[in-house]
C-alpha cells in the first residue's frame, strides 16, 4: 500500500507509521527523521535544514521534494510505503502526485491541548528512531531505548515555545491538505486519542476500504 499520514505535530504519526509499516511489510519513510539524521551528521542538507527546524518552520519545498523523490525510487519502496511527514504543503502534494499514485491519506486528529503534552514529554532514540513518552509511553528502563539500549534524547524542536510554533505552521501550511485529499476521495480520518494499540486498530479499519484488490 502507498499511504500518506497527515496530522498535527504530536498526533502520533511516527508511532503509528512504525506499526503500520511492520503490519503491511512496507518501509516507514519519515522526512523528519531523515532531516534530523542529516542535522546530527552535519551534512550539507542538515546544515540547510537546521535553522528552519529549530524555528518550527518548514524546510523549503524544493529540498524536501527532491529528497523524498529520491527515497521513493529506492527498491524497497516499489512494493509500497508509509510516508510520515510528507507532503506538508499543497506544492509537495502536487509534486508527489507526479511521481506516485496513493491508495489513501490517513489524517490523525487530536485536541490541541493533548498535542503540547505529547510533544514536550517525548523522548526519541537517536539510533533507530523509536519514539517514547516519559508518562504515556515510557521505555522499560528510564532513559534507554528498549530496542537497542541507546540513551534517549529530547528533540531540539520539542521545547514548548517551538512546539506552539510548529502547531501554528501546521495549521497554516499543512491543514489545507485535509481538503486536498478529501476532494480526491483519498482521505481517511482516525481519532488519535486513546491507547496506541486502539488507534492502530482504528487505522487498520479505515484502511480496509482502501486496500486495492490485488492486495486483498
Ligand atoms: P516531523 O519529525 O515530521 O515532526 P511533526 O510532524 O511535527 O510530527 P512529530 O514527529 O512531532 O509528531 P508525530 O505525529 O509523529 O507524533 P509521535 O508519534 O512522535 O518534522 C520535524 C520538522 O522537520 C518540521 O517541523 C520541519 O521543520 C521539518 N520537516 C519534516 N518534513 C518536512 C516536509 N515534508 N516539508 C518541510 N519540512 C519538513 O508521538 C508524539 C508523542 O506522543 C510521543 O512521545 C509518543 O510516544 C506519544 N504518543 C503517541 N501516541 C500516543 C498515544 N496514543 N497515547 C499517548 N501518547 C502517545
Amino acid at each position: 500500500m502507498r499511504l500518506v499520514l497527515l496530522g498535527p505535530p504530536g498526533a502520533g504519526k511516527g508511532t503509528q507509521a512504525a506499526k503500520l509499516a511492520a503490519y503491511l511489510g512496507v518501509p516507514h519513510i519519515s522526512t523528519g527523521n531523515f532531516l534530523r539524521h542529516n542535522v546530527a551528521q552535519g551534512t550539507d542538507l542538515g546544515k540547510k535544514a537546521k535553522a528552519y527546524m529549530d524555528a518550527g518552520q518548514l524546510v523549503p519545498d524544493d529540498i524536501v521534494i527532491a529528497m523524498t523523490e529520491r527515497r521513493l525510487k529506492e527498491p524497497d519502496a516499489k512494493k509500497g510505503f508509509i510516508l510520515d511527514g510528507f507532503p506538508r504543503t499543497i506544492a509537495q502534494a502536487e509534486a508527489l502526485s507526479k511521481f506516485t499514485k496513493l491508495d489513501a491519506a490517513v489524517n490523525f486528529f487530536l485536541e490541541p491541548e493533548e498535542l503540547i503534552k505529547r510533544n514536550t514529554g517525548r523522548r526519541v532514540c537517536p539510533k533507530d528512531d523509536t519514539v517514547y513518552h516519559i508518562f504515556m509511553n515510557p521505555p522499560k528502563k528510564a532513559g534507554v531505548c528498549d530496542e537497542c539500549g541507546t540513551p534517549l534524547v529530547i528533540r531540539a524542536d520539542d521545547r514548548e515555545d517551538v512546539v506552539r510554533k510548529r502547531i501554528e505552521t501546521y495549521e497554516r501550511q499543512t491543514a489545507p491538505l485535509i481538503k486536498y485529499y478529501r476532494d480526491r476521495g483519498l482521505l481517511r480520518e482516525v481519532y488519535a486519542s486513546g491507547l496506541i494499540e486502539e488507534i492502530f486498530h482504528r487505522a487498520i479499519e479505515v484502511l480496509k476500504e482502501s486496500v486495492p484488490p490485488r492486495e486483498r
Side-chain angles (χ1 to χ4, degrees):
M1 276 191 107
R2 292 170 303 267
L3 298 181
V4 156
L5 304 193
L6 301 174
K13 301 179 297 295
T15 303
Q16 295 299 329
K19 293 178 73 66
L20 285 166
Y23 179 80
L24 296 167
V26 296
H28 168 194
I29 300 176
S30 159
T31 45
N33 287 344
F34 188 75
L35 289 166
R36 275 186 290 281
H37 285 294
N38 275 273
V39 170
Q41 289 157 11
T43 64
D44 285 347
L45 171 63
K47 284 178 194 150
K48 281 185 202 150
K50 186 176 185 319
Y52 297 101
M53 296 174 79
D54 288 351
Q57 294 168 359
L58 295 184
V59 174
D61 282 339
D62 55 336
I63 297 178
V64 279
I65 288 170
M67 91 189 191
T68 307
E69 184 174 11
R70 262 197 311 276
R71 178 64 185 87
L72 290 180
K73 282 186 179 148
E74 286 177 29
D76 65 338
K78 291 281 175 274
K79 59 186 174 196
F81 51 78
I82 312 283
L83 256 182
D84 160 20
F86 185 98
R88 262 180 148 98
T89 61
I90 299 286
Q92 292 180 20
E94 287 289 313
L96 182 63
S97 73
K98 296 200 175 77
F99 47 80
T100 194
K101 190 172 176 308
L102 297 176
D103 294 307
V106 186
N107 181 40
F108 291 92
F109 62 97
L110 189 62
E111 294 78 12
E113 59 277 13
E114 259 314 289
L115 298 175
I116 305 284
K117 276 191 248 165
R118 286 202 185 174
N119 281 285
T120 53
R122 173 169 39 205
R123 299 292 181 271
V124 293
C125 174
K127 191 169 171 204
D128 68 13
D129 301 312
T130 307
V131 181
Y132 300 90
H133 190 282
I134 45 174
F135 305 122
M136 297 188 280
N137 178 26
K140 293 190 184 95
K141 186 175 167 210
V144 175
C145 180
D146 292 346
E147 307 298 324
C148 65
T150 303
L152 302 179
V153 299
I154 301 178
R155 267 170 50 173
D157 59 354
D158 273 346
R159 265 195 359 240
E160 187 169 336
D161 57 325
V162 185
V163 172
R164 290 189 186 279
K165 185 76 201 156
R166 284 163 52 213
I167 294 172
E168 271 172 44
T169 303
Y170 164 81
E171 291 297 342
R172 202 175 54 251
Q173 292 183 267
T174 306
L177 290 177
I178 296 171
K179 179 175 184 311
Y180 177 92
Y181 283 117
R182 184 181 293 123
D183 289 349
R184 284 154 183 77
L186 289 171
L187 191 72
R188 307 288 177 266
E189 300 257 35
V190 174
Y191 182 43
S193 176
L195 298 176
I196 290 170
E197 212 49 42
E198 287 170 354
I199 297 159
F200 174 62
H201 287 291
R202 282 176 212 154
I204 294 296
E205 275 308 303
V206 300
L207 284 173
K208 280 188 181 155
E209 57 200 273
S210 317
V211 180
R214 66 178 188 283
E215 290 176 25
R216 278 193 190 131

